[in-house]
Amino acid sequence: QIVELAPYIFNLKVIGGEPLIMKKHYELLDMLIEIDEAKNIQVKYQTNATVTVAGKHRIFDYIPKFKRVIVVVSLDGVGKYNDYIRRRSDYATIIKNIKAFSKFPNVIIDLNSVVTFFSVLHLYKIGDISSYTHNWWPIDNPTQMKANNLPQKIKDRLIPIYEKIPHLKEIVDLLKLPPQSDFNAKELYKYCLDMDKSYEGTKWEMNLFDVFPELKEHYAEISNE
């Protein structure tokens, strides 16, 4: 159906799961190239940018065939912060692939972040490594993960930082909200620590308080309640 409509398509958005590992989607791209419509179509991806190959297919081989390719990369922090929040992703690989995408003159790169209890702690540092458009959204569910549930002491430290960053300034309004009425810190930390245990012995093994030591005090306080 898409191929039949191709002469009338300007923008084709591909999402997943993870679209860059979907072999079927590459078959669609091949068909659009074969009928000589690819050159008129903009393709937009929402991707974690960790894998760019699916079998014999390489996304970099397809990019020059299309009018424009917009790559929206999901990134929730720099270095270990992103890798913990998006477990099984690899920040170094993401940056390498972003650089590879940026070499194509018809590629536009945007960064998307989800503001959560954990990502907000260091999300502002993305600006140090990027000149790309950086968009963000607060998490809706689960409510336990909302940034406004952080201890007041930490929110008070973060507010002046975000106030100075124009495109992240509205995060201040989020941090000024009171915690959710049903917030259960013990439940949140237990979930994360249980998740840490499930990754022990794997290459994704990480510990919550090694990555976010600023939360140790809060954890100690609620553990003694």
Side-chain angles (χ1 to χ4, degrees):
Q1 291 175 328
I2 292 174
V3 172
E4 291 174 1
L5 292 171
Y8 311 100
I9 294 175
F10 167 73
N11 183 57
L12 184 64
K13 185 174 182 180
V14 189
I15 59 177
E18 172 49 44
L20 298 184
I21 62 172
M22 294 162 51
K23 293 181 182 179
K24 205 70 180 174
H25 124 269
Y26 288 105
E27 293 176 17
L28 170 60
L29 298 188
D30 285 331
M31 295 169 76
L32 294 173
I33 293 168
E34 287 171 12
I35 63 173
D36 201 31
E37 288 293 341
K39 65 181 186 296
N40 301 316
I41 296 175
Q42 169 180 286
V43 182
K44 183 174 184 179
Y45 292 101
Q46 179 78 46
T47 175
N48 59 33
T50 55
V51 179
T52 59
V53 178
K56 65 180 182 180
H57 305 288
R58 296 177 66 256
I59 187 59
F60 299 119
D61 295 333
Y62 289 87
I63 289 174
K65 309 289 186 180
F66 286 81
K67 180 178 182 179
R68 187 180 296 112
V69 177
I70 300 176
V71 183
V72 183
V73 179
S74 300
L75 193 68
D76 287 339
V78 298
K80 62 184 179 181
Y81 308 118
N82 180 76
D83 292 353
Y84 183 87
I85 295 167
R86 291 183 172 272
R87 195 88 68 143
R88 298 195 182 207
S89 70
D90 179 74
Y91 180 76
T93 300
I94 294 169
I95 296 303
K96 180 189 74 174
N97 288 333
I98 287 176
K99 290 179 179 178
F101 279 117
S102 67
K103 292 178 180 179
F104 293 89
N106 64 328
V107 166
I108 296 173
I109 297 172
D110 290 344
L111 303 182
N112 269 9
S113 300
V114 181
V115 177
T116 69
F117 186 96
F118 300 105
S119 69
V120 75
L121 294 170
H122 300 277
L123 188 65
Y124 59 89
K125 295 176 182 176
I126 285 182
D128 296 337
I129 56 94
S130 171
S131 59
Y132 307 113
T133 299
H134 183 199
N135 305 300
W136 65 272
W137 287 267
I139 193 169
D140 291 322
N141 287 297
T143 58
Q144 299 288 335
M145 286 285 286
K146 290 191 173 185
N148 50 296
N149 292 328
L150 279 166
Q152 192 61 47
K153 184 189 298 186
I154 293 179
K155 292 197 286 187
D156 289 342
R157 176 179 63 80
L158 291 173
I159 286 171
I161 296 173
Y162 284 104
E163 283 179 331
K164 296 176 183 177
I165 307 173
H167 75 284
L168 298 179
K169 195 171 183 180
E170 291 182 5
I171 290 177
V172 172
D173 296 331
L174 182 62
L175 291 171
K176 287 182 177 179
L177 292 173
Q180 301 298 122
S181 59
D182 63 345
F183 177 59
N184 185 325
K186 287 183 179 180
E187 182 180 288
L188 177 61
Y189 286 127
K190 181 181 184 302
Y191 172 83
C192 294
L193 294 172
D194 286 346
M195 188 66 69
D196 290 349
K197 287 181 182 177
S198 73
Y199 281 102
E200 286 179 359
T202 74
K203 64 179 181 180
W204 302 290
E205 181 174 341
M206 301 177 81
N207 178 268
L208 173 66
F209 299 118
D210 289 341
V211 179
F212 301 106
E214 59 266 60
L215 296 175
K216 283 183 179 179
E217 182 180 344
H218 185 223
Y219 180 66
E221 289 173 358
I222 65 167
S223 297
N224 294 326
E225 290 178 355

